[in-house]
Amino acid sequence: MLKSRPLALCKLYKCAKYPAGQPSRLSYYCFTPIARQFVTVPTMSAQDNKPEILKWASSDGEFRRRPSSFRKFISKEPGAEYPPEEGRYHLYISWACPWAHRTAIVRALKGLQGVISLSVVDWYLGELGWKFSTPEETPGATIDPVHHASHLREIYFRMNPDYEGRFTVPVLWDKKTDTLINNESSEIIRMLNEEFDDFVDDEFKGVTFYPKSLRKDIDELNEWVYDTVNNGVYKAGFATKQEVYETHVINLFKSLDRLEGILAKSTGPYIFGDVLTEADIRLYTTIVRFDPVYVQHFKCNIGTIRHNYPQLHKWLRHLYWDIPQFKETTNFEHIKKHYTKSHRQLNPFGITPVGPIPDIEPK
């Protein structure tokens, strides 16, 4: 829960709803009216002039994420169009992107590094979308060994020369049929979790992050966490109207409070007790970026994880420091440079803040 911030916000916004003495846990959320008295929102003509790939918000100021376009599935069911095979599939990711980061974590946790090959785009997202660079040009990036493409967009155009959607990561590609299988991270992590056990070492067989006994609970939590936290930081950060931003940033911190309470009651180090699930994985990729990027870049600054959310902070550090696959797939240089140098409509000079120091605190 947020600690020590509400009283300061009460004084700043002169909120009449605060009672005498210590305000309630959520009482700082009533600052909205005064913001509209004193804040002048600039016009967004620069946004309108951006190339399509760099336009984020609609005319009403809302950021609306488009649904993924490619939704085929790899399945070990008999007769499946795309059966699991060692070496057949290739995964394109960005270390910077939280959605792609999910798939990299599950690939590592399931021991699939030798089964599904990997390419990593450069951290910079420009007018032509994600580009490929050599490790010498950009440490942590790779070339595209499958198509020798210069940009990820070329892979999308292989599927449809008239494709008009976004060129997003992750991308799961079938090298045998030269087909883009799927670009929806939530579905890719399920495939990696469930369909390739015949090809992994014994220590990874049967390991699941979506256990049957918890599926209903995981699905319910994923739904509101996606809307208000995973995507909530973007809805706040890409908002182009003050009232839209305030609505989403408030909802984000209400959900962080809710997660803090869930972890406080958990019987183990994870959201669902002693069992690491996809709910932890999906949340991790947002929370590990929160203090280094979202607080300043997306103006999600009502509080920080390290100072205001002790349970989330403990959970985050456990995943990062105690489970190697989380740390090994977390590249803070790519993360910080991508957001601050690619989103020029938010940060015109592309200056990357030095802090927070460190990017993640020790246990």
Side-chain angles (χ1 to χ4, degrees):
M1 321 295 177
L2 282 175
K3 305 294 184 183
S4 75
R5 298 297 296 273
L7 190 57
L9 284 171
C10 174
K11 294 176 180 177
L12 177 62
Y13 293 105
K14 298 181 172 61
C15 176
K17 295 182 182 179
Y18 283 97
Q22 181 65 30
S24 67
R25 178 165 63 88
L26 296 180
S27 56
Y28 53 84
Y29 292 136
C30 58
F31 65 80
T32 309
I34 198 166
R36 285 192 262 288
Q37 296 175 22
F38 296 103
V39 177
T40 301
V41 182
T43 62
M44 293 304 295
S45 57
Q47 165 86 359
D48 296 336
N49 292 330
K50 287 286 184 185
E52 181 64 28
I53 197 169
L54 298 180
K55 291 181 180 178
W56 304 108
S58 302
S59 59
D60 62 358
E62 287 275 4
F63 168 70
R64 295 179 176 87
R65 189 173 297 278
R66 298 179 186 178
S68 300
S69 304
F70 299 90
R71 312 293 284 270
K72 297 177 182 178
F73 287 85
I74 298 168
S75 174
K76 57 188 175 184
E77 291 297 320
E81 184 178 7
Y82 300 102
E85 295 179 21
E86 184 174 349
R88 174 171 175 171
Y89 300 99
H90 190 78
L91 184 63
Y92 293 93
I93 69 159
S94 162
W95 295 131
C97 170
W99 318 101
H101 192 179
R102 299 172 172 183
T103 65
I105 293 171
V106 175
R107 174 178 175 268
L109 287 171
K110 287 290 294 185
L112 290 168
Q113 294 93 327
V115 178
I116 299 172
S117 51
L118 183 75
S119 288
V120 182
V121 296
D122 193 293
W123 52 258
Y124 183 68
L125 179 68
E127 293 182 9
L128 297 179
W130 298 105
K131 67 177 183 177
F132 294 100
S133 299
T134 67
E136 292 73 28
E137 293 170 322
T138 302
T142 71
I143 61 171
D144 171 21
V146 179
H147 305 101
H148 308 288
S150 64
H151 289 79
L152 188 71
R153 63 188 286 139
E154 297 169 34
I155 295 165
Y156 278 83
F157 288 143
R158 289 180 72 90
M159 292 299 299
N160 178 5
D162 299 319
Y163 178 73
E164 295 181 349
R166 292 195 182 276
F167 312 108
T168 59
V169 285
V171 165
L172 186 59
W173 187 270
D174 180 8
K175 292 183 280 188
K176 179 178 284 190
T177 63
D178 201 33
T179 301
L180 200 165
I181 300 293
N182 199 294
N183 67 342
E184 170 51 54
S185 65
S186 63
E187 294 172 355
I188 292 174
I189 65 174
R190 295 271 176 93
M191 288 183 253
L192 302 185
N193 180 63
E194 298 171 1
E195 305 300 334
F196 288 88
D197 267 13
D198 291 341
F199 306 97
V200 298
D201 293 340
D202 289 343
E203 64 180 298
F204 302 107
K205 292 184 186 295
V207 174
T208 180
F209 306 109
Y210 191 53
K212 291 182 179 179
S213 62
L214 290 172
R215 288 184 179 181
K216 181 176 181 293
D217 294 330
I218 291 171
D219 290 342
E220 289 177 354
L221 185 134
N222 281 347
E223 183 176 3
W224 61 265
V225 168
Y226 165 78
D227 182 51
T228 59
V229 181
N230 301 139
N231 203 35
V233 293
Y234 287 89
K235 289 195 282 188
F238 288 147
T240 58
K241 293 184 184 297
Q242 182 71 29
E243 59 270 23
V244 173
Y245 157 72
E246 289 183 13
T247 295
H248 292 305
V249 80
I250 289 169
N251 288 339
L252 164 64
F253 278 88
K254 286 181 178 179
S255 289
L256 291 179
D257 282 357
R258 186 176 176 183
L259 287 162
E260 181 78 357
I262 289 171
L263 285 167
K265 296 176 182 177
S266 175
T267 57
Y270 308 112
I271 292 173
F272 294 106
D274 292 321
V275 182
L276 174 65
T277 71
E278 69 168 46
D280 297 284
I281 297 166
R282 288 168 53 126
L283 179 61
Y284 170 85
T285 60
T286 297
I287 299 302
V288 79
R289 288 163 173 76
F290 200 88
D291 288 1
V293 173
Y294 299 147
V295 169
Q296 54 83 21
H297 187 66
F298 282 166
K299 299 179 283 294
C300 299
N301 57 1
I302 294 176
T304 64
I305 301 301
R306 65 189 64 193
H307 293 136
N308 303 111
Y309 289 91
Q311 296 300 326
L312 274 166
H313 194 209
K314 178 181 177 181
W315 165 89
L316 171 66
R317 288 175 294 159
H318 166 62
L319 293 176
Y320 183 87
W321 293 110
D322 295 340
I323 304 177
Q325 293 89 341
F326 284 85
K327 182 179 179 181
E328 291 166 2
T329 59
T330 303
N331 187 317
F332 285 109
E333 181 178 7
H334 278 230
I335 289 168
K336 294 179 73 171
K337 285 185 175 179
H338 161 67
Y339 286 94
T340 56
K341 298 187 185 302
S342 299
H343 298 166
R344 291 303 178 99
Q345 69 273 45
L346 300 182
N347 190 28
F349 295 103
I351 295 172
T352 302
V354 173
I357 299 176
D359 295 315
I360 186 168
E361 292 190 345
K363 289 186 68 178

